[in-house]
Amino acid sequence: TPETTTTSSKTSPETTSTSTEATSTTVPCQPQCKWSKWYDVHSPTLHNKGDYETYHNIRVAGKEICRYPEKIRCRAEKYPHKSIEEIGQVVHCNVTYGLICRNEEQKGELHICLNYQIKVLCCDDYSYCQTTAVTSIASTETSTQISTATEITSFSSTTTSIPITTTSESTTFKPSVATGTSTSTFITEKTTPV
């Protein structure tokens, strides 16, 4: 009868595969907003056309001012705690260009502007910012181990020995012939399984 034996005969070494994906994102730094000091680079006289506290004139005077102010505040130098509306002069206080007060637009005896000052809110200060890079790493690891199973079929045959017994019988005939005596022996072998 056949016998079947299953044997795990071979295992390959473990295979490891690693995949890493790095994504780098720069986190934008938000600018720091701050109000400037009060600027007063131009003064009105009877001989000029008024008071021009414009961004251009501030830069020409060697002062630093942000490129794109977010807000502006204007005040009269002599009346710092009064609003422009309370003063009663025609003054153009505009975040786009600064302050302009034209002598010709003023009413009163002198037709001259007061001396004005401006300050602006600047939100373009990135000096404190550091480039911040956020790196996200995704790693995938795959392990594979391959085992090979070998099925071995073996056939075994069993030989059984059966003893054989041999029996011998001998028969003797004696003919009744008077001439002489003759004896014949016949041997018959018979095999019988035990």
Side-chain angles (χ1 to χ4, degrees), residues 89-130:
Q89 289 198 319
V90 178
V91 177
H92 306 279
C93 181
N94 190 301
V95 73
T96 306
Y97 53 82
L99 176 135
I100 296 176
C101 178
R102 295 184 184 98
N103 286 340
E104 62 191 39
E105 294 178 338
Q106 306 313 313
K107 298 176 184 167
E109 293 179 26
L110 295 177
H111 296 284
I112 190 168
C113 292
L114 295 172
N115 188 38
Y116 289 95
Q117 300 172 327
I118 69 165
K119 73 191 274 182
V120 292
L121 179 66
C122 296
C123 295
D124 58 356
D125 180 11
Y126 290 89
S127 63
Y128 71 97
C129 292
Q130 295 177 357

Side-chain angles (χ1 to χ4, degrees), residues 11-22:
T11 302
S12 72
E14 186 173 298
T15 305
T16 303
S17 169
T18 304
S19 170
T20 304
E21 183 180 325

Side-chain angles (χ1 to χ4, degrees), residues 130-141:
Q130 295 177 357
T131 304
T132 308
V134 176
T135 304
S136 170
I137 298 176
S139 183
T140 306
E141 191 171 291

